[in-house]
Amino acid sequence: MTMQVLVLNQDYQAISICEPERALVLVWMDKAEMVADVAERKLRSVRTEFAFPSVIRLRSYVQLPFRKVSLTRENIFRRDGYTCGYCGSTKDLTLDHIVPKSQGGGFTWKNLVTACRPCNVEKGDQSLEEYGKSLRHKPFRPSFIMYMSQFHGQVDINWRPFLYMS
């Protein structure tokens, strides 16, 4: 199945995404309650059918450590929408250090941006001021909630209130 289920903690905070079968087992074992379902879909067994879960909430609070999004090449591309931070191109993408490593720039969320190869080569070992172009978007550290909301591209309408989306 391609659909996923949003799992909420007891306090309605989004904590993970799981398969519909796993969500149904949690509901059936009374470890979670179904908050929203997909009306036009059902999960069927030999003798009965069940509502297809979209959002479930755990009945007991689960203490989780602070979750942050890992700084990886793929996550930077995802944050920047797979577009060049300088020209907006979507082809031949690489990573660029805004402040070059040779000038003390580090491998951080705020110093890395997605760049197409031509822009990266043209910028070379220059700072933004020396390069003369500005970034289309200011780089930032994404939150775990933002990362979850972009997990599958299109977010289920039932998930939006729990992911702080309008």
Side-chain angles (χ1 to χ4, degrees):
M1 292 186 180
T2 59
M3 294 192 72
Q4 299 286 312
V5 178
L6 180 65
V7 180
L8 306 175
N9 215 337
Q10 187 183 26
D11 63 356
Y12 289 91
Q13 182 180 3
I15 58 171
S16 70
I17 297 169
C18 74
E19 297 295 321
E21 296 86 356
R22 173 75 177 139
L24 191 60
V25 167
L26 289 170
V27 170
W28 189 71
M29 294 179 69
D30 204 32
K31 292 185 177 198
E33 67 177 324
M34 197 171 319
V35 175
D37 62 0
V38 180
E40 60 274 1
R41 293 193 70 179
K42 301 287 183 200
L43 285 171
R44 292 181 174 82
S45 73
V46 175
R47 297 182 188 182
T48 189
E49 67 181 25
F50 303 94
F52 194 96
S54 175
V55 180
I56 63 169
R57 181 179 76 97
L58 299 176
R59 292 204 183 271
S60 58
Y61 187 80
V62 176
Q63 186 72 32
L64 294 172
F66 175 73
R67 298 176 112 179
K68 58 183 180 179
V69 180
S70 300
L71 178 59
T72 65
R73 177 184 188 86
E74 182 62 29
N75 285 342
I76 291 169
F77 287 164
R78 183 177 289 152
R79 176 200 67 188
D80 295 344
Y82 297 93
T83 59
C84 176
Y86 300 107
C87 70
S89 172
T90 58
K91 301 197 187 303
D92 202 16
L93 298 176
T94 64
L95 289 183
D96 180 50
H97 286 79
I98 299 166
V99 177
K101 290 193 286 187
S102 65
Q103 296 178 18
F107 194 77
T108 65
W109 281 105
K110 293 187 178 185
N111 192 47
L112 289 168
V113 67
T114 302
C116 65
R117 194 166 308 280
C119 286
N120 202 352
V121 168
E122 183 182 334
K123 180 178 176 279
D125 202 23
Q126 303 173 42
S127 66
L128 273 180
E129 295 78 30
E130 295 168 337
Y131 182 43
K133 285 188 180 178
S134 61
L135 287 170
R136 297 166 55 94
H137 303 286
K138 184 177 179 184
F140 62 95
R141 173 186 210 110
S143 68
F144 183 70
I145 296 293
M146 178 190 164
Y147 182 76
M148 280 182 60
S149 69
Q150 294 179 347
F151 191 77
H152 285 287
Q154 188 67 21
V155 175
D156 186 323
I157 191 91
N158 294 324
W159 293 19
R160 292 181 177 270
F162 306 106
L163 298 177
Y164 309 108
M165 300 171 73
S166 55

Short mmCIF file of all heavy atoms in Angstrom, two decimals, residues 33-79:
data_model
loop_
_atom_site.label_atom_id
_atom_site.label_comp_id
_atom_site.label_asym_id
_atom_site.label_seq_id
_atom_site.Cartn_x
_atom_site.Cartn_y
_atom_site.Cartn_z
N GLU A 33 -6.12 5.36 19.24
CA GLU A 33 -7.47 5.62 18.75
C GLU A 33 -7.37 6.25 17.37
O GLU A 33 -6.40 6.96 17.08
CB GLU A 33 -8.23 6.53 19.71
CG GLU A 33 -7.69 7.93 19.80
CD GLU A 33 -8.50 8.83 20.70
OE1 GLU A 33 -9.73 8.70 20.74
OE2 GLU A 33 -7.88 9.68 21.36
N MET A 34 -8.36 5.99 16.53
CA MET A 34 -8.36 6.55 15.20
C MET A 34 -8.91 7.97 15.28
O MET A 34 -10.01 8.20 15.77
CB MET A 34 -9.20 5.70 14.25
CG MET A 34 -8.89 6.00 12.82
SD MET A 34 -9.62 4.90 11.59
CE MET A 34 -9.46 3.30 12.28
N VAL A 35 -8.13 8.93 14.81
CA VAL A 35 -8.54 10.33 14.81
C VAL A 35 -9.21 10.68 13.49
O VAL A 35 -10.20 11.40 13.46
CB VAL A 35 -7.32 11.25 15.06
CG1 VAL A 35 -7.70 12.71 14.96
CG2 VAL A 35 -6.69 10.94 16.41
N ALA A 36 -8.68 10.15 12.40
CA ALA A 36 -9.26 10.40 11.07
C ALA A 36 -9.05 9.17 10.20
O ALA A 36 -8.07 8.45 10.35
CB ALA A 36 -8.59 11.62 10.44
N ASP A 37 -10.02 8.96 9.32
CA ASP A 37 -9.89 7.84 8.39
C ASP A 37 -10.12 8.33 6.97
O ASP A 37 -10.51 9.47 6.74
CB ASP A 37 -10.85 6.71 8.75
CG ASP A 37 -12.32 7.11 8.67
OD1 ASP A 37 -12.61 8.27 8.33
OD2 ASP A 37 -13.18 6.26 8.95
N VAL A 38 -9.87 7.44 6.02
CA VAL A 38 -10.09 7.73 4.61
C VAL A 38 -11.43 7.09 4.25
O VAL A 38 -11.52 5.87 4.16
CB VAL A 38 -8.95 7.17 3.72
CG1 VAL A 38 -9.18 7.49 2.27
CG2 VAL A 38 -7.60 7.69 4.19
N ALA A 39 -12.44 7.92 4.08
CA ALA A 39 -13.82 7.43 3.92
C ALA A 39 -14.00 6.49 2.73
O ALA A 39 -14.72 5.50 2.82
CB ALA A 39 -14.77 8.61 3.79
N GLU A 40 -13.32 6.76 1.64
CA GLU A 40 -13.53 5.96 0.43
C GLU A 40 -12.71 4.67 0.38
O GLU A 40 -12.80 3.93 -0.58
CB GLU A 40 -13.28 6.80 -0.83
CG GLU A 40 -11.89 7.38 -0.97
CD GLU A 40 -11.70 8.73 -0.26
OE1 GLU A 40 -12.63 9.23 0.37
OE2 GLU A 40 -10.58 9.24 -0.34
N ARG A 41 -11.91 4.39 1.40
CA ARG A 41 -11.09 3.17 1.42
C ARG A 41 -11.38 2.36 2.67
O ARG A 41 -11.70 2.91 3.72
CB ARG A 41 -9.60 3.52 1.38
CG ARG A 41 -9.22 4.15 0.04
CD ARG A 41 -7.76 4.23 -0.15
NE ARG A 41 -7.20 2.89 -0.33
CZ ARG A 41 -5.93 2.67 -0.54
NH1 ARG A 41 -5.09 3.67 -0.59
NH2 ARG A 41 -5.47 1.45 -0.70
N LYS A 42 -11.23 1.05 2.55
CA LYS A 42 -11.43 0.14 3.68
C LYS A 42 -10.30 -0.89 3.68
O LYS A 42 -9.75 -1.22 2.64
CB LYS A 42 -12.77 -0.61 3.56
CG LYS A 42 -13.99 0.27 3.50
CD LYS A 42 -14.29 0.85 4.84
CE LYS A 42 -15.57 1.68 4.77
NZ LYS A 42 -15.68 2.63 5.84
N LEU A 43 -9.98 -1.39 4.88
CA LEU A 43 -9.09 -2.54 5.02
C LEU A 43 -9.98 -3.74 5.28
O LEU A 43 -10.85 -3.70 6.15
CB LEU A 43 -8.12 -2.34 6.18
CG LEU A 43 -6.97 -1.37 5.95
CD1 LEU A 43 -6.23 -1.11 7.24
CD2 LEU A 43 -6.02 -1.91 4.91
N ARG A 44 -9.78 -4.80 4.52
CA ARG A 44 -10.66 -5.96 4.62
C ARG A 44 -9.93 -7.19 5.11
O ARG A 44 -8.79 -7.44 4.74
CB ARG A 44 -11.28 -6.24 3.26
CG ARG A 44 -12.26 -5.16 2.82
CD ARG A 44 -12.88 -5.48 1.47
NE ARG A 44 -13.89 -4.51 1.15
CZ ARG A 44 -13.65 -3.30 0.62
NH1 ARG A 44 -12.42 -2.95 0.38
NH2 ARG A 44 -14.63 -2.48 0.35
N SER A 45 -10.63 -7.95 5.95
CA SER A 45 -10.14 -9.27 6.34
C SER A 45 -11.12 -10.27 5.73
O SER A 45 -12.02 -9.91 4.99
CB SER A 45 -10.10 -9.40 7.86
OG SER A 45 -11.40 -9.51 8.38
N VAL A 46 -10.99 -11.53 6.09
CA VAL A 46 -11.86 -12.56 5.54
C VAL A 46 -13.31 -12.32 5.96
O VAL A 46 -14.23 -12.48 5.17
CB VAL A 46 -11.39 -13.96 6.01
CG1 VAL A 46 -12.36 -15.03 5.55
CG2 VAL A 46 -10.00 -14.24 5.47
N ARG A 47 -13.53 -11.89 7.21
CA ARG A 47 -14.89 -11.79 7.73
C ARG A 47 -15.43 -10.38 7.91
O ARG A 47 -16.63 -10.22 8.10
CB ARG A 47 -14.96 -12.50 9.08
CG ARG A 47 -14.66 -13.96 8.94
CD ARG A 47 -14.78 -14.67 10.22
NE ARG A 47 -14.30 -16.03 10.02
CZ ARG A 47 -14.28 -16.94 10.92
NH1 ARG A 47 -14.72 -16.69 12.11
NH2 ARG A 47 -13.84 -18.14 10.64
N THR A 48 -14.58 -9.39 7.90
CA THR A 48 -15.07 -8.04 8.18
C THR A 48 -14.22 -6.99 7.46
O THR A 48 -13.20 -7.32 6.85
CB THR A 48 -15.08 -7.77 9.71
OG1 THR A 48 -15.74 -6.55 9.96
CG2 THR A 48 -13.69 -7.75 10.28
N GLU A 49 -14.66 -5.75 7.56
CA GLU A 49 -13.88 -4.65 7.00
C GLU A 49 -13.73 -3.56 8.04
O GLU A 49 -14.56 -3.42 8.94
CB GLU A 49 -14.50 -4.11 5.72
CG GLU A 49 -15.82 -3.42 5.88
CD GLU A 49 -16.37 -2.92 4.54
OE1 GLU A 49 -16.03 -3.48 3.49
OE2 GLU A 49 -17.16 -1.97 4.58
N PHE A 50 -12.64 -2.82 7.92
CA PHE A 50 -12.30 -1.79 8.90
C PHE A 50 -12.09 -0.47 8.17
O PHE A 50 -11.70 -0.44 7.01
CB PHE A 50 -10.99 -2.15 9.63
CG PHE A 50 -11.04 -3.49 10.31
CD1 PHE A 50 -10.57 -4.62 9.67
CD2 PHE A 50 -11.55 -3.61 11.60
CE1 PHE A 50 -10.60 -5.86 10.29
CE2 PHE A 50 -11.59 -4.84 12.23
CZ PHE A 50 -11.12 -5.97 11.58
N ALA A 51 -12.31 0.61 8.90
CA ALA A 51 -12.03 1.93 8.34
C ALA A 51 -10.53 2.03 8.05
O ALA A 51 -9.71 1.50 8.79
CB ALA A 51 -12.45 3.02 9.34
N PHE A 52 -10.18 2.69 6.98
CA PHE A 52 -8.79 2.86 6.57
C PHE A 52 -8.22 4.05 7.33
O PHE A 52 -8.65 5.18 7.12
CB PHE A 52 -8.72 3.10 5.06
CG PHE A 52 -7.35 2.95 4.47
CD1 PHE A 52 -6.97 1.76 3.88
CD2 PHE A 52 -6.44 4.00 4.49
CE1 PHE A 52 -5.72 1.60 3.33
CE2 PHE A 52 -5.18 3.86 3.94
CZ PHE A 52 -4.82 2.66 3.37
N PRO A 53 -7.25 3.84 8.23
CA PRO A 53 -6.77 4.95 9.07
C PRO A 53 -5.93 5.96 8.28
O PRO A 53 -5.22 5.61 7.35
CB PRO A 53 -5.91 4.24 10.13
CG PRO A 53 -5.52 2.96 9.50
CD PRO A 53 -6.60 2.57 8.53
N SER A 54 -6.05 7.21 8.69
CA SER A 54 -5.25 8.29 8.13
C SER A 54 -4.41 8.92 9.24
O SER A 54 -3.24 9.24 9.04
CB SER A 54 -6.14 9.34 7.49
OG SER A 54 -5.38 10.43 7.05
N VAL A 55 -5.03 9.10 10.43
CA VAL A 55 -4.34 9.66 11.60
C VAL A 55 -4.77 8.87 12.82
O VAL A 55 -5.97 8.64 13.02
CB VAL A 55 -4.71 11.15 11.82
CG1 VAL A 55 -3.98 11.71 13.03
CG2 VAL A 55 -4.40 11.99 10.58
N ILE A 56 -3.79 8.43 13.63
CA ILE A 56 -4.11 7.76 14.90
C ILE A 56 -3.39 8.50 16.03
O ILE A 56 -2.39 9.17 15.80
CB ILE A 56 -3.73 6.26 14.91
CG1 ILE A 56 -2.22 6.07 14.76
CG2 ILE A 56 -4.50 5.49 13.86
CD1 ILE A 56 -1.74 4.64 15.03
N ARG A 57 -3.95 8.36 17.24
CA ARG A 57 -3.34 8.97 18.43
C ARG A 57 -3.11 7.90 19.46
O ARG A 57 -4.00 7.10 19.78
CB ARG A 57 -4.28 10.04 19.01
CG ARG A 57 -3.70 10.72 20.24
CD ARG A 57 -4.65 11.78 20.77
NE ARG A 57 -5.76 11.20 21.48
CZ ARG A 57 -5.82 11.05 22.81
NH1 ARG A 57 -4.83 11.44 23.57
NH2 ARG A 57 -6.88 10.52 23.36
N LEU A 58 -1.89 7.83 19.99
CA LEU A 58 -1.55 6.86 21.02
C LEU A 58 -2.32 7.18 22.30
O LEU A 58 -2.50 8.35 22.65
CB LEU A 58 -0.05 6.85 21.29
CG LEU A 58 0.85 6.48 20.11
CD1 LEU A 58 2.31 6.60 20.48
CD2 LEU A 58 0.52 5.09 19.59
N ARG A 59 -2.76 6.16 23.01
CA ARG A 59 -3.53 6.36 24.25
C ARG A 59 -2.65 6.73 25.44
O ARG A 59 -3.09 7.37 26.37
CB ARG A 59 -4.33 5.12 24.58
CG ARG A 59 -5.45 4.89 23.57
CD ARG A 59 -6.55 4.06 24.19
NE ARG A 59 -7.58 3.77 23.23
CZ ARG A 59 -8.63 4.56 23.01
NH1 ARG A 59 -8.78 5.67 23.65
NH2 ARG A 59 -9.53 4.19 22.13
N SER A 60 -1.38 6.32 25.41
CA SER A 60 -0.47 6.70 26.49
C SER A 60 0.68 7.52 25.90
O SER A 60 1.11 7.29 24.77
CB SER A 60 0.06 5.47 27.23
OG SER A 60 0.71 4.62 26.33
N TYR A 61 1.16 8.46 26.69
CA TYR A 61 2.21 9.36 26.24
C TYR A 61 3.54 8.61 26.09
O TYR A 61 3.92 7.85 26.97
CB TYR A 61 2.38 10.52 27.23
CG TYR A 61 3.33 11.58 26.75
CD1 TYR A 61 2.92 12.54 25.84
CD2 TYR A 61 4.64 11.60 27.19
CE1 TYR A 61 3.80 13.51 25.38
CE2 TYR A 61 5.53 12.57 26.75
CZ TYR A 61 5.10 13.52 25.84
OH TYR A 61 5.97 14.47 25.39
N VAL A 62 4.23 8.84 24.99
CA VAL A 62 5.53 8.23 24.74
C VAL A 62 6.59 9.33 24.82
O VAL A 62 6.53 10.31 24.07
CB VAL A 62 5.58 7.56 23.35
CG1 VAL A 62 6.97 7.02 23.06
CG2 VAL A 62 4.54 6.48 23.25
N GLN A 63 7.52 9.19 25.77
CA GLN A 63 8.58 10.17 25.94
C GLN A 63 9.63 9.95 24.86
O GLN A 63 10.22 8.88 24.77
CB GLN A 63 9.22 10.01 27.33
CG GLN A 63 10.24 11.07 27.67
CD GLN A 63 9.61 12.42 27.94
OE1 GLN A 63 8.50 12.51 28.43
NE2 GLN A 63 10.32 13.47 27.60
N LEU A 64 9.84 10.96 24.02
CA LEU A 64 10.81 10.85 22.94
C LEU A 64 11.89 11.90 23.11
O LEU A 64 11.61 13.02 23.55
CB LEU A 64 10.13 11.07 21.59
CG LEU A 64 9.11 10.02 21.18
CD1 LEU A 64 8.38 10.47 19.93
CD2 LEU A 64 9.78 8.69 20.92
N PRO A 65 13.12 11.58 22.74
CA PRO A 65 14.16 12.61 22.78
C PRO A 65 13.88 13.65 21.70
O PRO A 65 13.14 13.40 20.75
CB PRO A 65 15.44 11.83 22.47
CG PRO A 65 14.98 10.63 21.73
CD PRO A 65 13.61 10.31 22.25
N PHE A 66 14.48 14.83 21.85
CA PHE A 66 14.32 15.87 20.85
C PHE A 66 14.77 15.32 19.50
O PHE A 66 15.85 14.75 19.39
CB PHE A 66 15.16 17.10 21.23
CG PHE A 66 15.14 18.17 20.18
CD1 PHE A 66 14.00 18.94 19.98
CD2 PHE A 66 16.24 18.39 19.37
CE1 PHE A 66 13.97 19.92 19.02
CE2 PHE A 66 16.23 19.37 18.40
CZ PHE A 66 15.09 20.14 18.23
N ARG A 67 13.93 15.48 18.50
CA ARG A 67 14.26 14.95 17.19
C ARG A 67 14.66 16.08 16.27
O ARG A 67 13.98 17.08 16.17
CB ARG A 67 13.06 14.21 16.61
CG ARG A 67 12.66 13.02 17.46
CD ARG A 67 11.44 12.40 16.90
NE ARG A 67 11.82 11.11 16.38
CZ ARG A 67 10.97 10.28 15.83
NH1 ARG A 67 9.72 10.60 15.70
NH2 ARG A 67 11.38 9.11 15.39
N LYS A 68 15.78 15.87 15.61
CA LYS A 68 16.21 16.86 14.63
C LYS A 68 16.49 16.16 13.31
O LYS A 68 16.74 14.96 13.26
CB LYS A 68 17.43 17.62 15.12
CG LYS A 68 18.63 16.78 15.44
CD LYS A 68 19.75 17.62 15.99
CE LYS A 68 20.95 16.73 16.29
NZ LYS A 68 22.07 17.47 16.81
N VAL A 69 16.43 16.93 12.26
CA VAL A 69 16.67 16.40 10.92
C VAL A 69 18.17 16.35 10.69
O VAL A 69 18.89 17.32 10.93
CB VAL A 69 15.99 17.30 9.86
CG1 VAL A 69 16.23 16.77 8.47
CG2 VAL A 69 14.50 17.42 10.14
N SER A 70 18.65 15.21 10.23
CA SER A 70 20.09 15.02 9.98
C SER A 70 20.55 15.91 8.82
O SER A 70 19.84 16.07 7.83
CB SER A 70 20.39 13.57 9.62
OG SER A 70 20.02 12.73 10.66
N LEU A 71 21.74 16.45 8.97
CA LEU A 71 22.33 17.27 7.91
C LEU A 71 22.96 16.33 6.89
O LEU A 71 24.07 15.82 7.07
CB LEU A 71 23.39 18.20 8.51
CG LEU A 71 24.13 19.10 7.52
CD1 LEU A 71 23.17 20.00 6.76
CD2 LEU A 71 25.17 19.93 8.25
N THR A 72 22.21 16.07 5.81
CA THR A 72 22.70 15.22 4.72
C THR A 72 22.47 15.94 3.40
O THR A 72 21.67 16.87 3.31
CB THR A 72 21.97 13.87 4.67
OG1 THR A 72 20.59 14.10 4.36
CG2 THR A 72 22.09 13.11 5.99
N ARG A 73 23.17 15.48 2.40
CA ARG A 73 23.02 16.03 1.05
C ARG A 73 21.56 15.97 0.59
O ARG A 73 21.00 16.96 0.12
CB ARG A 73 23.93 15.22 0.13
CG ARG A 73 23.88 15.58 -1.31
CD ARG A 73 24.78 14.59 -2.11
NE ARG A 73 24.91 14.99 -3.46
CZ ARG A 73 25.82 15.84 -3.92
NH1 ARG A 73 26.68 16.38 -3.10
NH2 ARG A 73 25.86 16.16 -5.18
N GLU A 74 20.94 14.81 0.76
CA GLU A 74 19.55 14.63 0.33
C GLU A 74 18.60 15.57 1.09
O GLU A 74 17.67 16.12 0.50
CB GLU A 74 19.12 13.17 0.53
CG GLU A 74 17.71 12.87 0.09
CD GLU A 74 17.46 13.10 -1.40
OE1 GLU A 74 18.41 12.97 -2.20
OE2 GLU A 74 16.31 13.41 -1.76
N ASN A 75 18.82 15.76 2.38
CA ASN A 75 17.95 16.63 3.17
C ASN A 75 18.12 18.10 2.78
O ASN A 75 17.16 18.88 2.86
CB ASN A 75 18.17 16.43 4.66
CG ASN A 75 17.55 15.13 5.13
OD1 ASN A 75 16.69 14.55 4.46
ND2 ASN A 75 17.98 14.66 6.28
N ILE A 76 19.31 18.50 2.36
CA ILE A 76 19.50 19.86 1.89
C ILE A 76 18.77 20.04 0.55
O ILE A 76 18.08 21.04 0.34
CB ILE A 76 21.00 20.21 1.76
CG1 ILE A 76 21.60 20.29 3.17
CG2 ILE A 76 21.20 21.53 1.03
CD1 ILE A 76 23.09 20.36 3.20
N PHE A 77 18.90 19.06 -0.34
CA PHE A 77 18.15 19.12 -1.60
C PHE A 77 16.65 19.21 -1.33
O PHE A 77 15.93 19.99 -1.95
CB PHE A 77 18.44 17.89 -2.47
CG PHE A 77 19.81 17.87 -3.10
CD1 PHE A 77 20.31 16.70 -3.62
CD2 PHE A 77 20.60 19.02 -3.19
CE1 PHE A 77 21.57 16.66 -4.22
CE2 PHE A 77 21.86 18.99 -3.78
CZ PHE A 77 22.34 17.81 -4.31
N ARG A 78 16.17 18.39 -0.41
CA ARG A 78 14.75 18.38 -0.06
C ARG A 78 14.32 19.74 0.50
O ARG A 78 13.29 20.29 0.12
CB ARG A 78 14.46 17.26 0.94
CG ARG A 78 12.99 17.15 1.29
CD ARG A 78 12.73 16.00 2.22
NE ARG A 78 12.91 14.75 1.50
CZ ARG A 78 13.27 13.61 2.05
NH1 ARG A 78 13.50 13.54 3.34
NH2 ARG A 78 13.39 12.53 1.34
N ARG A 79 15.12 20.28 1.43
CA ARG A 79 14.80 21.59 2.02
C ARG A 79 14.68 22.66 0.94
O ARG A 79 13.80 23.52 0.98
CB ARG A 79 15.89 21.98 3.02
CG ARG A 79 15.68 23.38 3.60
CD ARG A 79 16.94 23.97 4.18
NE ARG A 79 17.95 24.23 3.17
CZ ARG A 79 19.19 24.60 3.44
NH1 ARG A 79 19.59 24.71 4.69
NH2 ARG A 79 20.05 24.83 2.48
#
